[in-house]
Amino acid sequence: MPVSRISNAFEKAKNENRAALVLYTMAGDPTPEISQQVIDALAKNGADVLELGFAFSDPMADGPSIQKAAIRALDNKMTLAKTLEIAKNFRAKNSQTALVMMGYLNPIESMGYDKFAKAANEAGVDGMIVVDAPPEEDLELRTALDAQDIALIRLATPTTDAKRLPKVIEGVKGFVYYVSVAGVTGGKAIDTDAIKDKVAKVRDAAGLPVAIGFGIRSEQAAFDTAQLADGVVIGAALVDTVFEAFQNKQDCAKIAGEYAAKMHKAAIKEN
Amino acid sequence: MTQANNWDQYPDANGRFGHFGGRFVAETLMPNILALNDAYEATKKDAEFQKELDGYLKHFVGRPSPLYFAERLTEHYNGAKIYFKREELNHTGAHKINNCMGQILLAMRMGKTRIIAETGAGQHGVATATVCARFGLPCVVYMGAKDVERQSPNVFRMRLLGAEVRPVNSGTATLKDAMNEALRDWVSNPDDTFYIIGTAAGPHPYPAMVRDFQSVIGKETKVQLQEMEGRLPDAVVACIGGGSNALGIFHPFLADETVKLIGVEAAGEGLDTDKHAAAIRGGRPGVLHGNRTYLLQDADGQITDAHSISAGLDYPGVGPELSFLNDVKRATYLSATDNDALEAFQLCAKLEGILPALESAHALARIGEIAQDIGKGGIVVMNLSGRGDKDIFTIAKALGSDIGG
């Protein structure tokens, strides 16, 4: 089920003539309870794939928004095991929406690859994105995930050239995450014209849907991205929106739901 | 012990020292890391590059640094003869510039036009700013906000040299966070920027490259001691932060298995407290900053705060080769607390007329027992990796003196 749940999510979006909406939140931010409510609301209001971040103390590829979210989550005593609990609670209520976890390698290595993969499968996790595990270093992770039918999703970037691309897409399942800019999360704004050809090449080579992320903050950017991508990933902007609602003592789940609905509408294909 | 005399096989083509090392970086950086590796491998076979580097090391850095018989300290401990490898006499006051000179020459060969670096105590930042000034390249140095405060003389020196010092407030605002921020900069500027890492850690090829550029320390030591004593030392001792000064003096002695290699980690307020920086003696293997190595971390794999009075040792990890040398038992590791280092600092100042860096004072703190353990007739060489001028405010504060600053 896990890998096919991701494929189905992209298939459904394609049939509805839109890009799949992939929404990132940090597990445990702003609080573990609200985090749980937020992902429920995102799924109910149009997210096709949820990316559940698991906090790491040293997120070297993340910009300030997600760095701060990780610190808040760790201050809330979040752990990888507690992130899996949030996933499990979600899966008990929702069997459709694909659920992908995203983070850094050390918490997984610390738990143990096989133990983690088994627990992730039991929690209903469909895929994994591990930022600091490039193909050269992810054999143990890949082997453990394969055994549990969990998709290993890799990142392709503007610096991934034609020579390197086959290595990056080898063994990838579910979808390829195309990082739109050379930079950290929430940094530079996306320039869709600049990456159009590269995205097409990645899709052809991988034979999988391509979701584009990093630098998508507005409905316009989501729309523009949807014209060349199979999925649109929004992370830092959503993390900021939810945290702002929390600081203003607003209903975070409601605001997250509205945000998802808005972006779901924005990410339509033009024709 | 593993197969003797076969140390040159490490790291392997994937940057592994046994289980340690590797290239755990975001995909954006992988092409950069691979290109750097190719460029570095090419320089190894390039006699012109080596000649150019040797020229700058001699005329700009002031190499070779002396090997000095610490006579009064030897008398004080009444054991083996103690020698200091005087890296603190290099231009900029520490061993760090050996590596910076090598890396900036490489950066220019690769056509890079902008240099970034991280720094803890500021010695690597100063060395990087120095070579950038010398060759006219713009330089950005990331430094934890806490370190900016406790190493203010070095911050001022970097600025005088024309570098931009960017204080890093994220995380614990120390060396590890400076390294995170430098990596973020590099991810954002992969084309024009060269990242000069200051220690023998990070993604391959950095651990091997930094070690190789620093190995001039051990190579000179070997020749100098041969001239002075006609033999190899019984032990070589160095403090351990990330490990560049330690590997620099250890590496040329790896195949000489009669030579004991002894690293001294920073025990902060004690290994039995949570305030120390001893990754090997108080941590376990994990992945951070592009390599697998011993790390201070909690049960969930979150990196925990390191603590040391010495900013240059205040790092929760250690270079992967030092982790490997631990596991194959080629090197042994001791530790010294903040107080041990302060005492050793004062003793060295009064007996030898040398103010050692607080980093080096950690190695000094164990030198007496090592010399006594080896006994009379033996020889121990310690890498005196840096000078202590930068630390006088920290030391004054710890000793309860008010000298302003």
Side-chain angles (χ1 to χ4, degrees):
Chain A
M1 182 74 183
V3 175
S4 60
R5 202 184 271 128
I6 297 174
S7 313
N8 292 345
F10 280 90
E11 196 61 35
K12 178 166 173 276
K14 193 181 173 190
N15 291 337
E16 294 172 6
N17 203 33
R18 60 185 179 82
L21 183 62
V22 183
L23 295 178
Y24 174 97
T25 55
M26 174 66 72
D29 172 52
T31 72
E33 297 72 26
I34 294 173
S35 172
Q36 187 85 57
Q37 294 161 9
V38 162
I39 61 169
D40 290 347
L42 295 175
K44 267 185 207 144
N45 289 280
D48 299 291
V49 180
L50 290 174
E51 273 183 20
L52 190 59
F54 54 102
F56 181 49
S57 52
D58 293 80
M60 65 177 180
D62 283 300
S65 296
I66 294 177
Q67 284 176 44
K68 285 177 190 158
I71 291 169
R72 293 193 293 265
L74 292 173
D75 285 347
N76 290 332
K77 309 268 179 252
M78 279 308 290
T79 60
L80 183 56
K82 286 182 187 167
T83 302
L84 288 167
E85 275 174 39
I86 289 182
K88 200 172 193 172
N89 293 338
F90 172 79
R91 189 53 82 217
K93 290 174 277 184
N94 179 319
S95 61
Q96 293 291 318
T97 309
L99 182 63
V100 170
M101 282 175 53
M102 181 167 180
Y104 294 81
L105 191 60
N106 201 49
I108 297 174
E109 181 154 316
S110 178
M111 183 181 278
Y113 291 103
D114 289 334
K115 187 180 167 196
F116 168 76
K118 199 159 172 288
N121 179 298
E122 281 165 12
V125 172
D126 308 310
M128 290 301 301
I129 304 170
V130 184
V131 180
D132 56 349
E136 286 84 350
E137 303 291 356
D138 68 9
L139 184 63
E140 285 171 286
L141 176 67
R142 202 185 335 161
T143 307
L145 294 179
D146 278 349
Q148 299 293 333
D149 191 32
I150 295 174
L152 173 72
I153 296 154
R154 291 214 195 96
L155 305 167
T157 74
T159 58
T160 309
D161 57 19
K163 193 178 144 217
R164 186 164 168 77
L165 184 60
K167 188 157 195 121
V168 169
I169 58 178
E170 188 202 340
V172 170
K173 294 177 183 169
F175 66 98
V176 178
Y177 187 139
Y178 189 80
V179 176
S180 67
V181 290
V184 293
T185 52
K188 300 172 194 167
I190 187 169
D191 177 356
T192 46
D193 286 343
I195 57 171
K196 202 168 182 173
D197 293 348
K198 286 192 171 177
V199 171
K201 278 181 192 148
V202 172
R203 184 189 293 115
D204 288 349
L208 287 172
V210 176
I212 300 181
F214 281 42
I216 301 168
R217 296 196 82 95
S218 65
E219 288 167 86
Q220 184 64 47
F223 174 78
D224 292 346
T225 306
Q227 305 321 308
L228 57 143
D230 307 298
V232 173
V233 188
I234 302 173
L238 173 58
V239 166
D240 288 345
T241 301
V242 171
F243 186 61
E244 198 184 304
F246 177 71
Q247 282 182 307
N248 294 335
K249 301 193 169 32
Q250 291 169 299
D251 183 342
C252 295
K254 182 165 168 275
I255 283 171
E258 287 165 5
Y259 188 91
K262 185 173 78 175
M263 290 301 177
H264 180 90
K265 254 184 230 157
I268 51 163
K269 298 265 188 191
E270 208 156 20
N271 44 38
Chain B
M1 186 63 66
T2 53
Q3 288 297 308
N5 305 323
N6 208 6
W7 300 100
D8 286 342
Q9 67 181 301
Y10 302 105
D12 67 15
N14 292 312
R16 294 297 183 104
F17 301 87
H19 188 53
F20 299 104
R23 290 179 280 230
F24 296 87
V25 294
E27 174 60 24
T28 312
L29 286 180
M30 276 307 290
N32 262 22
I33 298 279
L34 295 171
L36 174 62
N37 190 49
D38 290 347
Y40 177 58
E41 287 298 322
T43 64
K44 279 199 212 168
K45 299 174 197 118
D46 183 346
E48 275 304 305
F49 181 89
Q50 292 304 329
K51 201 177 146 198
E52 192 184 1
L53 176 58
D54 289 346
Y56 286 116
L57 290 179
K58 181 176 178 190
H59 298 290
F60 188 70
V61 174
R63 303 208 69 89
S65 67
L67 184 69
Y68 163 75
F69 174 44
E71 194 174 355
R72 294 192 67 208
L73 207 60
T74 299
E75 278 169 18
H76 177 81
Y77 287 120
N78 198 28
K81 286 173 91 170
I82 298 168
Y83 279 87
F84 289 161
K85 179 60 174 165
R86 302 284 306 271
E87 289 297 302
E88 102 282 10
L89 292 177
N90 292 335
H91 180 39
T92 72
H95 71 292
K96 291 290 186 187
I97 197 159
N98 303 329
N99 166 53
C100 291
M101 190 55 84
Q103 286 201 45
I104 200 161
L105 294 180
L106 180 57
M108 290 188 294
R109 290 211 162 196
M110 293 176 74
K112 303 288 182 178
T113 54
R114 175 177 178 265
I115 301 292
I116 58 171
E118 85 296 332
T119 196
Q123 292 304 98
H124 174 59
V126 167
T128 305
T130 297
V131 296
C132 287
R134 171 63 186 78
F135 295 104
L137 291 180
C139 176
V140 172
V141 179
Y142 290 95
M143 188 170 187
K146 215 188 272 178
D147 293 335
V148 167
E149 199 179 312
R150 60 181 165 174
Q151 300 288 335
S152 56
N154 271 344
V155 174
F156 188 58
R157 289 164 80 195
M158 284 185 266
R159 289 184 173 142
L160 288 173
L161 291 160
E164 178 190 345
V165 180
R166 293 191 188 162
V168 176
N169 285 296
S170 59
T172 55
T174 60
L175 180 55
K176 84 176 173 77
D177 309 287
M179 201 155 178
N180 288 331
E181 211 54 40
L183 284 164
R184 289 178 189 122
D185 182 315
W186 204 22
V187 166
S188 306
N189 303 286
D191 296 329
D192 65 340
T193 298
F194 190 101
Y195 178 16
I196 298 187
I197 292 183
T199 193
H204 180 63
Y206 283 102
M209 178 169 69
V210 175
R211 171 200 76 196
D212 291 346
F213 286 139
Q214 292 293 3
S215 289
V216 66
I217 303 171
K219 285 178 193 159
E220 285 177 7
T221 301
K222 220 173 186 177
V223 172
Q224 289 165 322
L225 197 69
Q226 190 63 38
E227 283 168 7
M228 295 165 84
E229 297 277 359
R231 70 170 180 95
L232 288 167
D234 298 289
V236 175
V237 183
C239 65
I240 307 281
S244 69
N245 93 84
L247 281 167
I249 197 162
F250 287 177
H251 196 260
F253 291 100
L254 278 183
D256 302 306
E257 303 212 2
T258 57
V259 181
K260 283 184 194 155
L261 307 176
I262 303 170
V264 183
E265 294 192 291
E269 295 179 11
L271 286 185
D272 52 346
T273 73
D274 59 2
K275 289 193 175 216
H276 64 79
I280 292 177
R281 299 205 56 199
R284 63 188 171 91
V287 173
L288 178 72
H289 292 154
N291 58 177
R292 180 181 287 121
T293 192
Y294 276 87
L295 297 170
L296 300 180
Q297 55 182 321
D298 68 13
D300 186 42
Q302 306 297 335
I303 307 307
T304 52
D305 296 356
H307 167 88
S308 171
I309 190 170
S310 150
L313 305 183
D314 201 348
Y315 180 69
V318 61
E321 189 165 7
L322 291 173
S323 293
F324 170 68
L325 293 178
N326 177 70
D327 282 18
V328 299
K329 299 186 165 37
R330 177 65 187 93
T332 51
Y333 297 90
L334 309 173
S335 67
T337 64
D338 290 351
N339 286 336
D340 295 342
L342 282 167
E343 277 178 29
F345 176 96
Q346 294 172 84
L347 189 69
C348 184
K350 284 174 185 150
L351 286 184
E352 293 293 346
I354 297 170
L355 301 185
L358 273 176
E359 290 76 17
S360 321
H362 283 74
L364 266 171
R366 295 279 84 85
I367 202 77
E369 62 211 60
I370 293 166
Q372 285 163 356
D373 196 39
I374 293 168
K376 286 203 166 183
I379 297 169
V380 54
V381 179
M382 193 200 90
N383 192 358
L384 188 55
S385 55
R387 69 181 180 214
D389 308 56
K390 69 185 174 60
D391 294 313
I392 57 170
F393 297 110
T394 306
I395 290 161
K397 201 173 155 195
L399 300 179
S401 305
D402 182 6
I403 58 167

